[in-house]
């Protein structure tokens, strides 16, 4: 019996190596990008990308057909606090009803902790947003990292990773992860297109969000959440 438990423990620890390693690498990338941003190394690339999203016309409006800014504003709303709270609450309630009590509370704590971390990071770096003349939607507060990009990655990826632990087939797990990645990616792109964030803000938000989601998944795996809660 002891040998079986030892082998199970060893296998669990081995399976934690890749998410923890990937999370560490992603956090290192975030810190490197943050260091470059504070030294001004990203300024030229940020300005070029922001300007590239502008049209050549005299009004300096967003690039693309007339309907595209409205579409981007709809997409960026997917990363708003209102939408993310609604999504998180709906999934939390579903997990409770499904008997996944520990997973439900882990998802709730992950979202709340991610929001607190995002707010704290903005206060640390205190980067100003692009000029108001670039803004294609309302935005306030500091710019680095992008709260929409970071929180959409945290909420969508964390929930997808946790729900994937309940999925019976690999293709279903890949589908959940793919949808979460696509949504988070579109939200981040929309923030730059609408001129309310620098590109480095969004990339940093993605990195921090992915690292957070991986750490939560590792915790769920280590505690065997999703495998022993079903009733």
């Amino acid at each position: 019996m002891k040998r079986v438990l030892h082998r199970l423990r060893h296998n669990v620890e081995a399976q934690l190596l890749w998410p923890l390693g990937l999370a560490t690498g992603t956090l290192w990338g975030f810190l490197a990008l943050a260091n470059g941003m504070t030294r001004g190394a990203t300024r030229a690339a940020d300005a070029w990308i922001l300007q590239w999203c502008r049209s050549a016309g005299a009004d300096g409006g967003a690039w693309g057909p007339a309907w595209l800014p409205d579409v981007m504003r709809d997409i960026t709303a997917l990363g708003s606090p209102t939408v993310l709270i609604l999504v998180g609450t709906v999934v939390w309630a579903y997990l409770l009803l499904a008997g996944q009590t520990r997973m439900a509370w882990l998802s709730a704590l992950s979202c709340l902790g991610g929001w607190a971390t995002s707010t704290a990071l903005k206060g640390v770096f205190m980067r100003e947003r692009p000029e108001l003349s670039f803004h294609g939607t309302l935005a306030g507060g500091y710019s680095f990292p992008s709260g929409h990009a970071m929180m959409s990655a945290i909420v969508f990826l964390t929930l997808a990773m946790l729900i994937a632990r309940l999925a019976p087939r690999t293709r279903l797990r890949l589908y959940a992860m793919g949808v979460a990645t696509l949504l988070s990616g579109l939200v981040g792109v929309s923030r730059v297109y609408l001129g309310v964030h620098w590109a480095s803000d969004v990339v940093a938000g993605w990195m921090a969000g992915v690292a957070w989601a991986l750490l939560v998944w590792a915790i769920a795996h280590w505690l065997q959440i999703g495998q022993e809660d079903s009733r």
Side-chain angles (χ1 to χ4, degrees):
M1 184 63 180
K2 290 184 178 179
R3 183 177 299 178
V4 173
L5 292 175
H6 176 75
R7 184 176 301 174
L8 176 62
R9 181 171 176 271
H10 176 75
N11 290 338
V12 170
E13 291 177 350
Q15 293 172 11
L16 288 176
L17 291 178
W18 74 265
L20 291 177
L22 187 56
T24 300
T26 308
L27 283 175
W28 180 88
F30 171 83
L31 293 175
L33 182 58
N35 181 56
M37 183 275 295
T38 56
R39 292 187 295 103
T42 66
R43 186 179 298 118
D46 280 335
W48 182 86
I49 293 172
L50 188 65
Q51 199 64 48
W52 184 83
C53 293
R54 304 295 96 187
S55 67
D59 61 352
W63 171 87
W67 51 263
L68 189 55
D70 285 337
V71 171
M72 285 298 186
R73 279 187 282 270
D74 291 340
I75 291 174
T76 209
L78 295 174
S80 67
T82 301
V83 172
L84 294 179
I85 289 172
L86 286 173
V87 171
T89 302
V90 168
V91 174
W92 172 78
Y94 171 82
L95 291 173
L96 284 180
L97 292 172
Q100 299 291 337
T101 305
R102 293 194 300 164
M103 184 178 289
W105 288 110
L106 178 61
S107 68
L109 291 174
S110 171
C111 294
L112 291 173
W115 172 80
T117 302
S118 174
T119 302
L121 288 173
K122 285 178 176 288
V124 169
F125 294 104
M126 294 189 294
R127 188 187 197 185
E128 297 297 329
R129 293 179 183 271
E131 296 179 4
L132 286 174
S133 59
F134 287 102
H135 291 198
T137 189
L138 295 176
Y142 293 117
S143 188
F144 187 96
S146 166
H148 275 62
M150 181 173 173
M151 287 308 301
S152 63
I154 286 176
V155 173
F156 293 139
L157 287 176
T158 296
L159 295 180
M161 286 182 178
L162 292 178
I163 292 175
R165 294 180 60 79
L166 306 177
R169 295 186 178 89
T170 300
R171 63 182 178 182
L172 295 178
R173 293 190 285 269
L174 292 176
Y175 176 79
M177 294 302 304
V179 170
T181 301
L182 176 62
L183 291 176
S184 177
L186 288 174
V187 168
V189 170
S190 72
R191 302 305 284 173
V192 179
Y193 177 85
L194 293 171
V196 294
H197 273 294
W198 308 102
S200 56
D201 300 337
V202 169
V203 175
W206 283 335
M207 288 181 172
V210 168
W212 187 277
L214 286 169
L215 289 175
V216 173
W217 186 91
I219 292 172
H221 188 76
W222 179 54
L223 297 176
Q224 297 295 292
I225 292 177
Q227 297 182 11
E228 298 178 354
D229 290 346
S230 297
R231 291 175 175 83

